[in-house]
Amino acid sequence: MPPDAAPGVLLVHGLWMRSIAMRWLATRLRSQGFAPTTFGYYSLLQDTDAVVARLAGVLAAHPGLHVVAHSLGGLLTLRAVERLGDAAIGRIVCLGSPLAGSGAAAAIAARIPAGAQLVGHNRALLQAGIGRIPDGIEAGMVAGCVPHGLGGLVARFDGPHDGTVSVAETRVPGLADHVVVRASHSGLLFSDEVVRQVAGFLRGDGFEHAVEPPAV
């Protein structure tokens, strides 16, 4: 890549979404000097191994590519990175990803009729999480604390959450940085504050940590 080329960023959507959900974020990151592209998959119909294998192939073909991944997309991205080993990976920003496991996914599968089908073939990954960030990977987390979402109706969250994922579920060992912003789970994809935080992290400056404490 030429030195003056815009840094590439792969955008990976989450559960119940398609790649078009990342369009607003792509536009805003382009205005920040990045070159975003999207990675699409069928979050309910495709199993984890199939998506991870294809995502790993994209990352292997584009050394140094950054990733911004929402929710389930963050889990899939980090599973793909584990598969690649020492391959050159850019920085990764997860948006509201339940890296420590999703209580909402477990509650939906257990308490709602046909709940397992609503969670889809990535249910095991969502419920278990990833444990820790792979060694050598610079990954940051932007978590939300506005409690609007389906998960809040079925899960019993302790502490702040974004309506689908609790802030505690976004923390695992190995994260390079973690910040909480005032956004709901889906609102993370439409927040100027999130764009500012993501752009700073991808440039190597880390997150700007808010002065205000997160809302409970």
Side-chain angles (χ1 to χ4, degrees), residues 41-61:
Y41 62 100
Y42 295 101
S43 65
L44 295 180
L45 301 177
Q46 290 181 290
D47 65 30
T48 298
D49 287 343
V51 179
V52 165
R54 189 160 58 86
L55 182 51
V58 173
L59 295 176

Side-chain angles (χ1 to χ4, degrees), residues 83-99:
R83 181 172 296 202
L84 290 173
D86 295 332
I89 304 296
R91 297 184 178 93
I92 297 170
V93 180
C94 297
L95 307 179
S97 298
L99 301 186

Side-chain angles (χ1 to χ4, degrees), residues 9-22:
V9 183
L10 187 67
L11 305 181
V12 185
H13 63 84
L15 186 66
W16 303 335
M17 293 183 176
R18 298 296 301 277
S19 57
I20 194 172
M22 311 299 283

Side-chain angles (χ1 to χ4, degrees), residues 80-201:
V81 167
E82 287 178 347
R83 181 172 296 202
L84 290 173
D86 295 332
I89 304 296
R91 297 184 178 93
I92 297 170
V93 180
C94 297
L95 307 179
S97 298
L99 301 186
S102 171
I108 290 171
R111 300 175 189 167
I112 294 178
Q117 287 75 20
L118 285 174
V119 177
H121 290 292
N122 291 288
R123 174 184 172 186
L125 177 61
L126 279 166
Q127 293 185 202
I130 62 159
R132 63 171 295 109
I133 304 299
D135 292 340
I137 296 301
E138 190 174 356
M141 173 68 71
V142 181
C145 63
V146 175
H148 297 160
L150 174 63
L153 300 177
V154 294
R156 296 180 178 87
F157 291 118
D158 293 323
H161 61 91
D162 65 9
T164 301
V165 175
S166 73
V167 171
E169 290 171 339
T170 65
R171 297 184 185 275
V172 293
L175 279 171
D177 207 349
H178 186 289
V179 68
V180 179
V181 302
R182 294 189 180 279
S184 66
H185 193 66
S186 58
L188 291 166
L189 298 177
F190 304 98
S191 164
D192 286 328
E193 173 65 13
V194 169
V195 172
R196 183 164 55 252
Q197 298 285 3
V198 168
F201 189 89

